[in-house]
Amino acid sequence: MDYGYVLSRAWKIIWEHKVLWVFGLLMGLGNAGGSSSSAANGNVTWKTDQVPPWLENFAFNFSDTQGILLLCGAILLGLLIFALIIFLATIGKIGIIRGVSDVELGVQTSRLRFGELFRLSTPYFWRVFGMYFLVVLAFIVAIIVLAVPLAITVVGIFCLICLAPLAGFLLFAVLELAANAIVIENLGAIEGLKRSWMLVRTKFGPVFVMWLILFVIGLLGGFILALPFFLLAIPWIVGSVISGSNTLQLGWGLWLVCGCIYLPFLLALNGILQSYIGSAWTLTFLRLIGKEKSDGAPVMSDPNATLIESEPVIEAG
């Protein structure tokens, strides 16, 4: 596999079709929740006499019916927001796969449009979501069945430490390739997982190398994007050590304000990063199944066609 071509081509596609940045932003919503919360640790403590009166009343009201209804409403709102984030993140993933594959295979010769790409992505939602759900559920069951008994022994802990990186690689690679198989080859959730596992088994070397490259890119990119949060926290931490709790509270407020100002830029830049990594995985999948372009000639000429392994292009049912 020409890794240099995949990496350079991925950047060229997302630069020429910047609408993919928006889908990358949507995809990034699924893993942006814990990125900045770790910066606020347990150093901020409240004394009993420092609790604001409104907070005391708020906690007290949870003992009556109105408070219980308010709590249930907050839980329901949180579940709705969570479901919306899952939907948008999944559509973002599908949109990148569909857009990049259409561009690379010659289906889309003009500029990608958000509305059209969003519309073309929605039919794949339940299949891709179901695939992720099945894999995560199986992974949780495997942890309960295998990891918990092994963790009670020293040898078991050592085995878990050794197997964890391999398990993480296999899980991530299978998920990425399965999502591409579902969208590009118009497969179901189970068929997509089978197709993905077959590719990982038969072409382990190229898949592992590309995963390692993109893992490093994602790690470095994420560190650079999160760096301003840590830089903003340095004066706050130093001031709190020198001057005490008053400076700590002031620094917390300034960090929060600056963090809110930086947050839109963080989401936008993370969208570009996610769209690049997703594009590279799609191009990797196309090359693994032998559907890359040769001599610049488009592979597909029918926008409604789909790819099934090495068979000729057929109409999608």
Side-chain angles (χ1 to χ4, degrees), residues 164-294:
L166 178 60
F169 154 69
L170 290 176
L171 179 65
F172 188 85
V174 168
L175 287 174
E176 286 290 338
L177 296 178
N180 279 274
I182 291 172
V183 177
I184 296 174
E185 298 184 322
N186 197 25
L187 302 178
I190 301 299
E191 290 77 10
L193 286 171
K194 291 179 179 178
R195 176 71 158 144
S196 173
W197 179 243
M198 184 271 292
L199 290 173
V200 172
R201 285 190 300 107
T202 59
K203 302 184 178 182
F204 182 87
V207 173
F208 178 77
V209 172
M210 183 53 66
W211 170 83
L212 186 61
I213 293 173
L214 295 178
F215 175 77
V216 173
I217 292 175
L219 194 65
L220 292 176
F223 174 77
I224 293 173
L225 294 181
L227 190 59
F229 283 109
F230 296 103
L231 294 178
L232 289 171
I234 291 176
W236 163 31
I237 297 174
V238 173
S240 65
V241 173
I242 297 175
S243 302
S245 60
N246 292 331
T247 303
L248 178 63
Q249 295 179 7
L250 177 61
W252 165 255
L254 292 175
W255 181 88
L256 188 61
V257 171
C258 294
C260 291
I261 295 174
Y262 176 64
L263 184 60
F265 298 96
L266 173 64
L267 294 176
L269 294 173
N270 185 61
I272 298 174
L273 177 63
Q274 295 299 324
S275 64
Y276 176 75
I277 294 176
S279 300
W281 271 112
T282 297
L283 294 174
T284 299
F285 178 83
L286 291 174
R287 297 184 76 82
L288 288 175
I289 63 174
K291 295 296 181 180
E292 72 272 14
K293 287 198 289 188
S294 59

Side-chain angles (χ1 to χ4, degrees), residues 95-118:
I96 290 175
I97 296 172
R98 182 63 190 255
V100 172
S101 61
D102 283 355
V103 171
E104 181 67 5
L105 298 175
V107 176
Q108 184 70 35
T109 57
S110 59
R111 187 80 60 179
L112 291 173
R113 300 180 183 277
F114 177 83
E116 181 182 4
L117 192 54
F118 190 95

Side-chain angles (χ1 to χ4, degrees), residues 24 41 57 59 62 70 82 90 112 163 217 259 270 277-279 290 304:
N41 52 34
N57 295 333
F62 276 107
L70 182 61
F82 178 75
T90 306
L112 291 173
L163 293 176
I217 292 175
N270 185 61
I277 294 176
S279 300
N304 297 317

